[in-house]
Amino acid sequence: MSNHEEPTFPVDGQLLMVLPRAGASLKNPDVQLPILRSDEDGYYLEMRVEADPGNPSEVAVTRRVPLENLSAEEWEELKRQYADLDFQSCTDQGVSKGLEKIQDRRIQRLFMALLTFLNPRQVSIVLFLYRLAAQQGNGAIVSFRSNDLLESLGYTRTKDGGFASKLRSQLNRDLVALHRTELVLAQSLRKGNSVGAKVMIKSVLRIKDYEIDNVPRDFDLAKAADYTYELADAYTVSLEFFEGPGRTGDYVLFANSIDITQKLGSNAKSDYKTKLLIYLASRMKWDAMQDGGYLHISKQYLFKNLDLLGSNSSRNNQIFWRTVDELQQEGYVISAQELPGKKRIATIQFQLNLEKMQSHTSDRGIPERHRIPKNS
């Protein structure tokens, strides 16, 4: 490998375009409260993010969990439990607090999965899987061992060489949430210079199979996510948005050195660095970048997509610029400055380092071995 090239991996442009919206939190003003819905196809728990007419990148997305094998009695019980949800507490004090009154663990975990869907930890898992897909070369199919993923996320092993049951349980719940939460994209997405319009229903990934090592035990994927604290030892998944960059030419290249480790003792929702990095990658797909890697993004949309929605503007600014500084230190952002805008709406001008993250929209495919040349 030349000293002038950094190994990279591609992530599909369509997935990146929708990730910030698909992971919008309850605090986001475009998010509607979750609802229970039934139709001739079954029962659903769903949550809609409405489009923002002020910006084409703020597309409408519905995320939903199909409630399979549900009897009419269970449906009625679910509706009773739903009535005990305290959404105001979820917003003000955190999701766990708002779900305290729900006695049924399965229902509590279903709501937790929907309300915290595509949090930064889950996005880090998705990035890990796309990086592995590039290494394994089997298209959308990726196989991995749970301990390897937990290690890549920066968690510390226990004395016996494994990982704490709380971390193992969380990983299975994350994987199952990514597997069974469907995204309904009811609005057109840009494809190159054209706009394609079709409704799609996709999960971020689908678990194809899983393995248990050595000890014979009865392990059920969904039951473990809903009731227990278990994790399979290995998984094979299919990345549902994976089209193959060589075929579509629509992707963003990320440096293999991307840091997906989780900060010890911190909540995933406070990982502003991952949120901002993914939002910048998304806007690379939506916006026409200027020569030199310049992006201009309204501060209003940056704060909304980072969940900096509180009334303490000083705190919001402090967190935002601290996060920008983190991305500068890691080499993703070369510079960032605030520009005065019309009607006192400020704009942030970013200069991105195209050696660490680069958008492609052509249909010529991707170079072999996924390299970003220096000084490109």
Side-chain angles (χ1 to χ4, degrees):
M1 185 178 76
S2 164
N3 291 330
H4 300 292
E5 296 176 335
E6 181 164 6
T8 63
F9 64 97
V11 178
D12 286 275
Q14 188 180 69
L15 175 60
L16 284 169
M17 290 172 85
V18 78
L19 265 184
R21 301 298 283 169
S25 79
L26 258 182
K27 291 184 178 180
N28 192 303
D30 301 331
V31 169
Q32 296 185 339
L33 293 179
I35 62 169
L36 295 169
R37 184 177 63 80
S38 62
D39 59 25
E40 63 273 12
D41 296 322
Y43 302 108
Y44 300 92
L45 172 59
E46 66 182 37
M47 190 168 166
R48 182 168 173 80
V49 186
E50 294 288 2
D52 183 333
N55 194 301
S57 70
E58 305 287 287
V59 294
V61 180
T62 296
R63 57 192 198 230
R64 71 181 190 187
V65 179
L67 303 170
E68 299 168 344
N69 304 318
L70 207 64
S71 68
E73 291 79 10
E74 289 171 322
W75 176 246
E76 292 304 317
E77 176 58 26
L78 183 57
K79 287 196 290 186
R80 281 193 291 273
Q81 298 260 1
Y82 176 84
D84 286 335
L85 273 169
D86 187 346
F87 290 117
Q88 193 60 51
S89 291
C90 286
T91 304
D92 297 341
Q93 302 174 50
V95 173
S96 296
K97 187 71 175 175
L99 297 178
E100 278 183 346
K101 294 180 182 177
I102 303 296
Q103 299 302 313
D104 187 307
R105 175 180 276 181
R106 175 173 183 257
I107 294 173
Q108 190 181 72
R109 285 185 169 182
L110 277 173
F111 275 104
M112 175 69 78
L114 188 75
L115 293 171
T116 64
F117 184 63
L118 279 176
N119 61 42
R121 184 186 58 251
Q122 292 177 358
V123 170
S124 295
I125 290 170
V126 173
L127 292 174
F128 170 89
L129 294 173
Y130 268 88
R131 184 170 62 187
L132 205 54
Q135 294 168 4
Q136 293 182 355
N138 295 321
I141 305 299
V142 184
S143 298
F144 63 94
R145 294 197 62 79
S146 302
N147 282 355
D148 292 340
L149 175 47
L150 288 166
E151 191 168 56
S152 293
L153 291 171
Y155 296 122
T156 304
R157 290 180 182 267
T158 54
K159 290 181 180 178
D160 64 0
F163 290 89
S165 59
K166 182 179 178 181
L167 298 174
R168 291 171 56 80
S169 166
Q170 183 63 67
L171 178 56
N172 185 66
R173 295 206 303 274
D174 284 336
L175 291 169
V176 171
L178 292 167
H179 160 86
R180 66 182 172 191
T181 305
E182 298 175 338
L183 297 177
V184 184
L185 313 181
Q187 191 165 337
S188 59
L189 291 178
R190 181 186 296 169
K191 295 183 178 179
N193 293 323
S194 62
V195 174
K198 64 177 180 179
V199 175
M200 296 179 303
I201 302 174
K202 287 184 179 181
S203 296
V204 175
L205 60 83
R206 297 291 291 177
I207 298 172
K208 310 302 283 185
D209 58 61
Y210 51 91
E211 299 174 18
I212 305 297
D213 289 348
N214 302 324
V215 184
R217 55 189 168 104
D218 180 23
F219 179 82
D220 179 275
L221 200 71
K223 193 177 290 183
D226 293 340
Y227 295 110
T228 70
Y229 290 91
E230 294 184 90
L231 173 75
D233 297 294
Y235 295 81
T236 297
V237 303
S238 173
L239 301 173
E240 293 291 280
F241 281 83
F242 191 98
E243 295 286 349
R247 188 171 74 78
T248 65
D250 178 23
Y251 54 88
V252 170
L253 289 176
F254 287 87
N256 270 7
S257 59
I258 188 169
D259 178 17
I260 63 168
T261 57
Q262 306 297 294
K263 289 183 180 177
L264 292 177
S266 67
N267 194 310
K269 69 180 181 181
S270 61
D271 181 0
Y272 296 102
K273 184 185 73 172
T274 299
K275 289 181 186 178
L276 181 56
L277 182 65
I278 292 300
Y279 187 59
L280 291 174
S282 178
R283 291 298 292 260
M284 288 174 84
K285 298 305 306 174
W286 280 103
D287 301 350
M289 289 186 67
Q290 299 174 12
D291 289 344
Y294 286 94
L295 267 182
H296 291 84
I297 306 176
S298 164
K299 199 173 181 182
Q300 170 192 347
Y301 285 104
L302 283 162
F303 278 32
K304 184 169 74 168
N305 282 276
L306 289 176
D307 267 351
L308 296 175
L309 298 163
S311 57
N312 189 335
S313 58
S314 175
R315 175 184 176 274
N316 294 342
N317 267 302
Q318 189 177 27
I319 292 173
F320 172 71
W321 287 110
R322 187 174 66 218
T323 306
V324 171
D325 186 55
E326 284 186 72
L327 289 184
Q328 282 185 286
Q329 290 178 29
E330 294 190 10
Y332 289 96
V333 174
I334 294 173
S335 65
Q337 61 176 322
E338 187 167 326
L339 306 175
K342 297 177 180 177
K343 299 180 181 178
R344 293 189 295 180
I345 298 176
T347 296
I348 306 297
Q349 175 186 274
F350 293 93
Q351 185 182 12
L352 304 182
N353 183 356
L354 301 184
E355 295 171 6
K356 297 282 283 186
M357 189 166 64
Q358 191 173 112
S359 173
H360 287 253
T361 55
S362 72
D363 58 2
R364 291 176 296 175
I366 186 168
E368 190 176 356
R369 294 174 64 82
H370 312 309
R371 306 284 183 206
I372 294 180
K374 293 277 185 181
N375 303 317
S376 59

